[in-house]
């Protein structure tokens, strides 16, 4: 926890925590973290995608376990989102003492997960699995600096981004383990320190609109109106009701834009966002279909025009069942309750999971708060994660 707080001082904004892709404070974070790694006998380097990679040599260099998370933050962030997972990786290496597992342990601090600087998330983990494309290198930030230029300005070789691929170390990847704060209220509500992630939920994002007729609020009788907002409002309440009825599904209308937007005008157009998430793609897609049908039905009843446009269809990413079970058993053997849960937020693990066995452990988020300076962890929960992680390494050793 002290290390997370020490890293929090490296920020682009005085008095707050903001650290984006390869910014000057990221260099400071790399330096301090690299120093901790070398004190732990780890060889560390920053790869062509700006990921900090530290390796502890095991007894057999032909096999490797990767533990990681991200070192970048959102603007005005807390001290633990991402960073805690990297720091815990180092703490786990430290906890090994003189014991060396039969495999190498690599700790990765991914350069970019939040998508703040370029509006595109997961630069670090996508380069790690080889899905970062040359076109994406041309994406520019608000100052017009491209990803390629940013990598070059940092003193790295943008053409070396291919070398960030995990296969370049030549070892067989045993898997990827990510520790992360829950960023939600579930574990706290259950009074549990840890959660074993079953899957990262899939996401649907849509933009829908109800179009009627804008008209005078005083002269248009109720029976002759085509009120787009009243239609949208009825639909939004239906979205909430429907989401309550489907176990573990979350659906959100987070944005509503009404025009012309005057108190004395019947609303002619209402545009709304729709965000639906679930661990099972079939459930998510079926729910979205039902919600859009309901919108069409309501619009027809009210003489409105209904339109819907898909913005995102991100499939759910399951964790590896065997790897997850090893983690679950480690949590129990360390003396804690194994609570299985779904991650509603995206993480680097989501990018890595299609390429190697992946498991993820959540730590309770006090108050369910994240992406905010009040973001916190309980020291006892961090200890629980560390004990579970140490047990995981020994369980993994037995499995080999
Ligand atoms: Zn994160």
């Amino acid at each position: 926890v002290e290390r997370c707080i020490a890293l929090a001082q490296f920020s682009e904004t005085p008095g707050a925590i903001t650290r984006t892709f390869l910014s000057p404070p990221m260099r400071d974070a790399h330096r301090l973290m690299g120093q901790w790694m070398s004190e732990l006998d780890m060889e560390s380097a920053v790869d062509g995608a700006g990921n900090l990679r530290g390796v502890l040599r095991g007894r057999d260099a032909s096999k490797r376990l990767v533990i990681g998370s991200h070192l970048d933050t959102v603007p005005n962030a807390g001290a633990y989102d991402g960073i805690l997972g990297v720091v815990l990786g180092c703490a786990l290496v430290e906890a090994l003492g003189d014991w060396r597992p039969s495999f190498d342990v690599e700790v990765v601090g991914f350069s970019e997960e939040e998508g703040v600087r370029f509006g595109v998330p997961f630069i670090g983990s996508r380069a790690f699995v080889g899905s970062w494309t040359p076109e994406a290198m041309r994406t520019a930030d608000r100052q017009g600096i491209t990803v390629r230029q940013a990598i070059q300005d940092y003193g790295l070789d943008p053409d070396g981004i291919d070398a960030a691929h995990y296969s370049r170390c030549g070892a067989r990847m045993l898997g990827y383990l990510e520790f992360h704060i829950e960023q939600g209220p579930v574990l706290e509500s259950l009074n549990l320190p840890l959660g074993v992630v079953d899957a990262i939920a899939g996401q649907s994002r849509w933009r829908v609109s109800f179009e009627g007729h804008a008209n005078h609020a005083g002269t248009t009788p109720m029976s002759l109106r085509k009120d787009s907002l009243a239609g949208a409002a009825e639909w939004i309440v239906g979205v909430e009701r429907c989401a309550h009825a489907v176990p573990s599904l979350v659906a959100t209308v987070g944005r509503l834009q009404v025009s012309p937007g005057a108190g004395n005008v019947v609303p002619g157009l209402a545009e709304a966002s729709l965000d639906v998430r679930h661990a099972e793609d079939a459930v998510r897609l079926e729910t979205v279909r039902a919600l859009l049908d309901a919108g069409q039905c309501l619009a027809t009843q009210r003489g409105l025009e209904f339109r819907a446009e898909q913005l995102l269809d991100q499939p759910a990413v399951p964790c590896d069942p065997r790897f997850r079970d090893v983690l679950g058993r480690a949590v129990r053997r360390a003396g804690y309750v194994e609570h299985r849960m779904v991650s509603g937020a995206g993480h680097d693990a989501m990018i890595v999971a299609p390429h190697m066995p992946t498991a993820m452990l959540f730590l309770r988020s006090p108050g369910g708060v994240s992406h905010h300076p009040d973001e916190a962890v309980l020291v006892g929960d961090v200890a629980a994660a560390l004990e579970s992680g140490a047990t995981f390494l020994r369980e993994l050793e037995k499995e080999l």
Side-chain angles (χ1 to χ4, degrees):
V1 171
E2 275 173 14
R3 283 175 177 165
C4 290
I5 292 167
L7 288 165
Q9 68 181 302
F10 304 129
S11 173
E12 291 155 45
T13 47
I17 309 169
T18 306
R19 195 170 48 246
T20 59
F21 182 73
L22 297 183
S23 60
M26 187 63 91
R27 190 184 298 280
D28 295 325
H30 283 163
R31 185 181 33 76
L32 184 56
M33 198 121 213
Q35 191 183 312
W36 294 333
M37 285 174 165
S38 62
E39 284 164 10
L40 294 168
D41 280 337
M42 301 171 81
E43 301 154 22
S44 76
V46 178
D47 69 21
N51 300 316
L52 177 68
R53 322 251 308 244
V55 179
L56 178 84
R57 293 291 166 197
R59 303 194 307 275
D60 178 357
S62 71
K63 289 173 282 184
R64 183 174 287 199
L65 171 72
V66 180
I67 303 171
S69 196
H70 59 98
L71 292 173
D72 67 317
T73 74
V74 294
N76 199 19
Y80 303 98
D81 175 4
I83 292 88
L84 179 69
V86 189
V87 167
L88 262 169
C90 290
L92 256 184
V93 166
E94 192 170 4
L96 294 179
D98 292 331
W99 180 67
R100 289 290 171 272
S102 66
F103 44 86
D104 285 354
V105 179
E106 175 170 352
V107 177
V108 183
F110 287 119
S111 55
E112 212 282 353
E113 189 264 1
E114 302 283 8
V116 174
R117 182 165 175 186
F118 296 97
V120 192
F122 304 114
I123 298 175
S125 44
R126 283 167 69 187
F128 180 71
V129 299
S131 66
W132 186 252
T133 60
E135 300 81 73
M137 289 293 259
R138 292 197 281 271
T139 310
D141 67 9
R142 258 173 273 162
Q143 273 73 47
I145 300 169
T146 61
V147 176
R148 163 171 276 276
Q149 188 63 46
I151 291 173
Q152 209 158 357
D153 291 349
Y154 198 78
L156 299 164
D157 175 13
D159 295 317
I161 199 160
D162 292 345
H165 195 276
Y166 65 83
S167 66
R168 289 301 181 94
C169 71
R172 179 167 73 86
M173 291 291 143
L174 297 177
Y176 173 76
L177 173 65
E178 181 164 354
F179 297 91
H180 203 285
I181 55 170
E182 181 204 340
Q183 302 181 284
V186 174
L187 290 171
E188 185 175 69
S189 73
L190 296 169
N191 198 24
L192 293 173
L194 305 173
V196 176
V197 175
D198 269 326
I200 296 166
Q203 283 183 42
S204 293
R205 292 199 200 169
W206 288 74
R207 184 189 295 140
V208 308
S209 66
F210 292 84
E211 189 170 5
H213 274 302
N215 213 336
H216 198 290
T219 61
T220 318
M222 296 309 288
S223 60
L224 299 178
R225 292 180 180 210
K226 288 182 176 178
D227 185 330
S228 64
L229 179 56
E234 196 176 344
W235 178 71
I236 292 166
V237 174
V239 168
E240 186 193 36
R241 193 174 300 131
C242 169
H244 271 294
V246 182
S248 303
L249 183 123
V250 285
T252 308
V253 177
R255 189 180 149 276
L256 184 65
Q257 196 164 5
V258 182
S259 58
N264 60 349
V265 182
V266 177
L269 180 67
E271 291 177 302
S273 63
L274 174 66
D275 178 312
V276 179
R277 305 187 192 203
H278 195 271
E280 287 171 50
D281 292 331
V283 174
R284 172 175 55 88
L285 296 173
E286 198 180 301
T287 304
V288 168
R289 180 53 43 213
L291 294 176
L292 297 180
D293 286 350
Q296 182 59 65
C297 189
L298 268 168
T300 305
Q301 283 165 14
R302 289 172 166 271
L304 304 171
E305 199 70 49
F306 180 77
R307 278 183 295 275
E309 182 193 353
Q310 183 173 272
L311 303 176
L312 179 76
D313 176 16
Q314 158 83 49
V317 177
C319 288
D320 180 69
R322 191 187 67 91
F323 224 53
R324 177 205 60 201
D325 287 349
V326 176
L327 180 62
R329 196 163 67 232
V331 168
R332 291 197 308 274
R333 296 221 166 133
Y336 301 95
V337 174
E338 178 195 357
H339 174 70
R340 299 273 198 84
M341 60 192 298
V342 169
S343 173
H347 295 290
D348 291 301
M350 180 174 91
I351 305 298
V352 179
H355 301 268
M356 63 184 80
T358 291
M360 206 176 173
L361 190 67
F362 274 166
L363 288 83
R364 163 167 46 190
S365 285
V369 176
S370 180
H371 284 189
H372 187 278
D374 290 346
E375 182 180 279
V377 286
L378 301 175
V379 174
D381 294 355
V382 178
L386 196 49
E387 288 164 42
S388 302
T391 312
F392 175 84
L393 292 182
R394 295 197 183 256
E395 293 286 325
L396 191 62
E397 175 91 26
K398 279 192 239 163
E399 295 259 315
L400 294 175

